[in-house]
Amino acid sequence: MMIILHGEDAIKSYDRLTVLTGELKSKQVEVVTQDAEEIDITQLRQELGSSGLFGSSKCFVIKDLFSGTKTKNKDKLLEVLNQVTNHEIILWENKGLAATTLKKFPNAKVEAFSINPVIFKFLDSLQPMNTKNILLSWKKLLNEGTEPEFVFAMIVRQIKLLIQAKSDPSYIKLAPYPSRLITQQATYFTLNHLLDLYQKLYDIDVKIKTGTGGNTIDNLLANFFQKI
């Protein structure tokens, strides 16, 4: 059986991967996890042809098969994986896959994890002198069950893009429309302001990871929004 986990909400898809592998391990299934770029085709063929410790079954988790692997290697991997019938296969991608790509695995169970569109409206609202709307959008995201950690990651990404747009728009690696939106949003900031916001986000990240903030991520972000 093959399961494909994909979508722009990489945090949720990875959480799902963690749940699935945890369930398999509880059933004494040996879980082998590899990044696609690091896979040796010959070794993979050998592992797929063997059973786990004491004859137990195996599950092979392959990450980012469609993100950055060389075309030749990717095609070989696809050929090998489509021939597997005696082991579990889980493909995890940190982005959404096109329907044409998914058609290569007609028998796979596909689980997609899309981003709540409200998050993009929220990110667009990150502008100076817009604190009220930012906080209202933030509250709406929380009420809809969006994880604060995911919002934090998206804010960091947005501020990085704004810094790139302010420094040199040619640095932005986005499609034309979102690139124009980022460039327009960047006009509301000075470069120093954006760099200061990025430093504040770094400080929040340190506090979260070390537990030294003395506050929840919700409150830390609420305080951050006051500084925009």
Side-chain angles (χ1 to χ4, degrees):
M1 178 181 177
M2 178 182 289
I3 298 175
I4 299 176
L5 307 176
H6 75 109
E8 300 303 327
D9 195 338
I11 292 178
K12 283 188 177 179
S13 66
Y14 200 84
D15 286 345
R16 176 60 173 157
L17 174 63
T18 302
V19 169
L20 288 174
T21 54
E23 291 175 349
L24 289 167
K25 289 176 181 177
S26 69
K27 298 175 183 177
Q28 307 305 310
V29 175
E30 181 183 349
V31 177
V32 180
T33 303
Q34 291 179 289
D35 290 326
E37 287 193 343
E38 298 174 357
I39 290 177
D40 180 287
I41 299 292
T42 302
Q43 183 178 349
L44 179 63
R45 286 182 188 275
Q46 293 174 347
E47 291 181 347
L48 288 169
S50 65
S51 59
L53 192 63
F54 304 118
S56 62
S57 57
K58 288 184 178 182
C59 172
F60 292 85
V61 176
I62 298 177
K63 298 180 180 179
D64 296 326
L65 175 59
F66 299 95
S67 305
T69 52
K70 296 179 180 178
T71 303
K72 186 177 180 181
N73 201 40
K74 188 186 301 180
D75 290 342
K76 286 183 178 180
L77 277 171
L78 290 174
E79 181 183 348
V80 170
L81 293 174
N82 274 319
Q83 294 174 352
V84 177
T85 58
N86 58 330
H87 294 297
E88 295 265 4
I89 302 289
I90 300 178
L91 302 182
W92 178 82
E93 293 288 328
N94 67 356
K95 64 178 185 180
L97 297 177
T100 51
T101 299
L102 294 172
K103 283 182 181 179
K104 297 175 182 178
F105 304 97
N107 298 319
K109 178 184 177 183
V110 179
E111 298 185 28
F113 299 83
S114 58
I115 294 176
N116 185 340
V118 175
I119 187 69
F120 295 110
K121 292 182 180 180
F122 165 75
L123 294 172
D124 290 340
S125 76
L126 299 180
Q127 299 174 15
M129 310 297 293
N130 197 35
T131 305
K132 182 179 179 180
N133 289 329
I134 293 172
L135 291 174
L136 285 173
S137 295
W138 167 237
K139 185 177 180 180
K140 184 175 181 180
L141 283 169
L142 293 180
N143 288 340
E144 291 185 356
T146 307
E147 296 87 348
E149 292 80 6
F150 175 69
V151 178
F152 176 73
M154 293 297 289
I155 294 170
V156 171
R157 176 180 179 273
Q158 191 79 354
I159 297 300
K160 283 182 178 179
L161 288 170
L162 290 170
I163 290 172
Q164 290 176 347
K166 200 68 182 179
S167 303
D168 186 344
S170 66
Y171 292 154
I172 302 174
K173 306 301 180 184
L174 295 173
Y177 180 67
S179 180
R180 286 197 298 272
L181 291 179
I182 285 290
T183 302
Q184 174 60 36
Q185 188 177 359
T187 62
Y188 295 105
F189 297 88
T190 65
L191 180 58
N192 283 338
H193 187 181
L194 288 169
L195 292 172
D196 181 60
L197 291 176
Y198 190 74
Q199 178 62 49
K200 285 180 169 58
L201 290 172
Y202 173 78
D203 293 340
I204 290 173
D205 189 45
V206 171
K207 290 176 181 177
I208 294 170
K209 290 178 178 176
T210 60
T212 57
N215 219 330
T216 65
I217 185 173
D218 305 41
N219 290 333
L220 289 171
L221 284 176
N223 291 334
F224 169 79
F225 298 142
Q226 305 281 348
K227 308 294 193 303
I228 295 177

PDB file of all heavy atoms in Angstrom, residues 108-121:
ATOM      1  N   ALA A 108      -2.422   4.720  -5.201  1.00  0.00           N
ATOM      2  CA  ALA A 108      -2.026   5.302  -3.907  1.00  0.00           C
ATOM      3  C   ALA A 108      -3.193   6.005  -3.227  1.00  0.00           C
ATOM      4  O   ALA A 108      -4.102   6.533  -3.882  1.00  0.00           O
ATOM      5  CB  ALA A 108      -0.885   6.291  -4.111  1.00  0.00           C
ATOM      6  N   LYS A 109      -3.153   6.000  -1.899  1.00  0.00           N
ATOM      7  CA  LYS A 109      -4.092   6.791  -1.112  1.00  0.00           C
ATOM      8  C   LYS A 109      -3.474   8.169  -0.934  1.00  0.00           C
ATOM      9  O   LYS A 109      -2.358   8.288  -0.410  1.00  0.00           O
ATOM     10  CB  LYS A 109      -4.336   6.143   0.253  1.00  0.00           C
ATOM     11  CG  LYS A 109      -5.269   6.956   1.157  1.00  0.00           C
ATOM     12  CD  LYS A 109      -5.400   6.319   2.531  1.00  0.00           C
ATOM     13  CE  LYS A 109      -6.272   7.193   3.426  1.00  0.00           C
ATOM     14  NZ  LYS A 109      -6.373   6.633   4.807  1.00  0.00           N
ATOM     15  N   VAL A 110      -4.165   9.199  -1.374  1.00  0.00           N
ATOM     16  CA  VAL A 110      -3.608  10.557  -1.355  1.00  0.00           C
ATOM     17  C   VAL A 110      -4.298  11.403  -0.289  1.00  0.00           C
ATOM     18  O   VAL A 110      -5.525  11.449  -0.220  1.00  0.00           O
ATOM     19  CB  VAL A 110      -3.765  11.234  -2.731  1.00  0.00           C
ATOM     20  CG1 VAL A 110      -3.207  12.663  -2.686  1.00  0.00           C
ATOM     21  CG2 VAL A 110      -3.064  10.420  -3.813  1.00  0.00           C
ATOM     22  N   GLU A 111      -3.494  12.078   0.537  1.00  0.00           N
ATOM     23  CA  GLU A 111      -4.018  12.997   1.539  1.00  0.00           C
ATOM     24  C   GLU A 111      -3.390  14.365   1.305  1.00  0.00           C
ATOM     25  O   GLU A 111      -2.161  14.503   1.346  1.00  0.00           O
ATOM     26  CB  GLU A 111      -3.716  12.498   2.952  1.00  0.00           C
ATOM     27  CG  GLU A 111      -4.370  11.161   3.283  1.00  0.00           C
ATOM     28  CD  GLU A 111      -4.149  10.745   4.722  1.00  0.00           C
ATOM     29  OE1 GLU A 111      -3.988  11.637   5.588  1.00  0.00           O
ATOM     30  OE2 GLU A 111      -4.109   9.530   4.996  1.00  0.00           O
ATOM     31  N   ALA A 112      -4.221  15.366   1.022  1.00  0.00           N
ATOM     32  CA  ALA A 112      -3.734  16.714   0.732  1.00  0.00           C
ATOM     33  C   ALA A 112      -3.987  17.641   1.917  1.00  0.00           C
ATOM     34  O   ALA A 112      -5.022  17.553   2.582  1.00  0.00           O
ATOM     35  CB  ALA A 112      -4.424  17.261  -0.512  1.00  0.00           C
ATOM     36  N   PHE A 113      -3.040  18.535   2.163  1.00  0.00           N
ATOM     37  CA  PHE A 113      -3.126  19.463   3.295  1.00  0.00           C
ATOM     38  C   PHE A 113      -2.924  20.887   2.774  1.00  0.00           C
ATOM     39  O   PHE A 113      -1.798  21.361   2.624  1.00  0.00           O
ATOM     40  CB  PHE A 113      -2.068  19.112   4.351  1.00  0.00           C
ATOM     41  CG  PHE A 113      -2.225  17.735   4.923  1.00  0.00           C
ATOM     42  CD1 PHE A 113      -1.709  16.628   4.250  1.00  0.00           C
ATOM     43  CD2 PHE A 113      -2.906  17.529   6.098  1.00  0.00           C
ATOM     44  CE1 PHE A 113      -1.862  15.354   4.765  1.00  0.00           C
ATOM     45  CE2 PHE A 113      -3.070  16.250   6.618  1.00  0.00           C
ATOM     46  CZ  PHE A 113      -2.555  15.162   5.950  1.00  0.00           C
ATOM     47  N   SER A 114      -4.041  21.534   2.477  1.00  0.00           N
ATOM     48  CA  SER A 114      -3.971  22.889   1.921  1.00  0.00           C
ATOM     49  C   SER A 114      -3.966  23.930   3.042  1.00  0.00           C
ATOM     50  O   SER A 114      -4.389  23.653   4.168  1.00  0.00           O
ATOM     51  CB  SER A 114      -5.154  23.147   0.984  1.00  0.00           C
ATOM     52  OG  SER A 114      -6.375  22.960   1.667  1.00  0.00           O
ATOM     53  N   ILE A 115      -3.486  25.113   2.702  1.00  0.00           N
ATOM     54  CA  ILE A 115      -3.424  26.205   3.667  1.00  0.00           C
ATOM     55  C   ILE A 115      -4.758  26.950   3.681  1.00  0.00           C
ATOM     56  O   ILE A 115      -5.328  27.245   2.622  1.00  0.00           O
ATOM     57  CB  ILE A 115      -2.285  27.175   3.325  1.00  0.00           C
ATOM     58  CG1 ILE A 115      -0.936  26.473   3.498  1.00  0.00           C
ATOM     59  CG2 ILE A 115      -2.335  28.417   4.208  1.00  0.00           C
ATOM     60  CD1 ILE A 115       0.249  27.318   3.092  1.00  0.00           C
ATOM     61  N   ASN A 116      -5.252  27.255   4.868  1.00  0.00           N
ATOM     62  CA  ASN A 116      -6.459  28.063   5.019  1.00  0.00           C
ATOM     63  C   ASN A 116      -6.258  29.406   4.306  1.00  0.00           C
ATOM     64  O   ASN A 116      -5.319  30.144   4.615  1.00  0.00           O
ATOM     65  CB  ASN A 116      -6.712  28.296   6.518  1.00  0.00           C
ATOM     66  CG  ASN A 116      -8.013  29.030   6.789  1.00  0.00           C
ATOM     67  OD1 ASN A 116      -8.567  29.693   5.928  1.00  0.00           O
ATOM     68  ND2 ASN A 116      -8.492  28.922   8.011  1.00  0.00           N
ATOM     69  N   PRO A 117      -7.124  29.758   3.344  1.00  0.00           N
ATOM     70  CA  PRO A 117      -6.939  31.018   2.603  1.00  0.00           C
ATOM     71  C   PRO A 117      -6.948  32.250   3.492  1.00  0.00           C
ATOM     72  O   PRO A 117      -6.413  33.301   3.115  1.00  0.00           O
ATOM     73  CB  PRO A 117      -8.117  31.033   1.615  1.00  0.00           C
ATOM     74  CG  PRO A 117      -9.107  30.059   2.158  1.00  0.00           C
ATOM     75  CD  PRO A 117      -8.313  29.020   2.868  1.00  0.00           C
ATOM     76  N   VAL A 118      -7.527  32.133   4.690  1.00  0.00           N
ATOM     77  CA  VAL A 118      -7.564  33.270   5.617  1.00  0.00           C
ATOM     78  C   VAL A 118      -6.147  33.699   5.994  1.00  0.00           C
ATOM     79  O   VAL A 118      -5.891  34.881   6.250  1.00  0.00           O
ATOM     80  CB  VAL A 118      -8.372  32.907   6.885  1.00  0.00           C
ATOM     81  CG1 VAL A 118      -8.315  34.030   7.913  1.00  0.00           C
ATOM     82  CG2 VAL A 118      -9.814  32.613   6.512  1.00  0.00           C
ATOM     83  N   ILE A 119      -5.206  32.737   6.006  1.00  0.00           N
ATOM     84  CA  ILE A 119      -3.833  33.060   6.391  1.00  0.00           C
ATOM     85  C   ILE A 119      -3.212  34.065   5.434  1.00  0.00           C
ATOM     86  O   ILE A 119      -2.443  34.939   5.836  1.00  0.00           O
ATOM     87  CB  ILE A 119      -2.960  31.785   6.470  1.00  0.00           C
ATOM     88  CG1 ILE A 119      -1.561  32.104   7.041  1.00  0.00           C
ATOM     89  CG2 ILE A 119      -2.793  31.133   5.124  1.00  0.00           C
ATOM     90  CD1 ILE A 119      -1.538  32.474   8.464  1.00  0.00           C
ATOM     91  N   PHE A 120      -3.563  33.982   4.152  1.00  0.00           N
ATOM     92  CA  PHE A 120      -2.983  34.897   3.174  1.00  0.00           C
ATOM     93  C   PHE A 120      -3.537  36.319   3.352  1.00  0.00           C
ATOM     94  O   PHE A 120      -2.806  37.300   3.194  1.00  0.00           O
ATOM     95  CB  PHE A 120      -3.232  34.384   1.755  1.00  0.00           C
ATOM     96  CG  PHE A 120      -2.531  33.084   1.468  1.00  0.00           C
ATOM     97  CD1 PHE A 120      -3.247  31.915   1.311  1.00  0.00           C
ATOM     98  CD2 PHE A 120      -1.143  33.027   1.388  1.00  0.00           C
ATOM     99  CE1 PHE A 120      -2.595  30.715   1.063  1.00  0.00           C
ATOM    100  CE2 PHE A 120      -0.483  31.834   1.147  1.00  0.00           C
ATOM    101  CZ  PHE A 120      -1.215  30.681   0.981  1.00  0.00           C
ATOM    102  N   LYS A 121      -4.823  36.412   3.689  1.00  0.00           N
ATOM    103  CA  LYS A 121      -5.396  37.729   3.977  1.00  0.00           C
ATOM    104  C   LYS A 121      -4.733  38.322   5.219  1.00  0.00           C
ATOM    105  O   LYS A 121      -4.468  39.533   5.290  1.00  0.00           O
ATOM    106  CB  LYS A 121      -6.908  37.620   4.185  1.00  0.00           C
ATOM    107  CG  LYS A 121      -7.672  37.249   2.920  1.00  0.00           C
ATOM    108  CD  LYS A 121      -9.169  37.196   3.181  1.00  0.00           C
ATOM    109  CE  LYS A 121      -9.929  36.820   1.910  1.00  0.00           C
ATOM    110  NZ  LYS A 121     -11.393  36.753   2.142  1.00  0.00           N
TER     111      LYS A 121
END
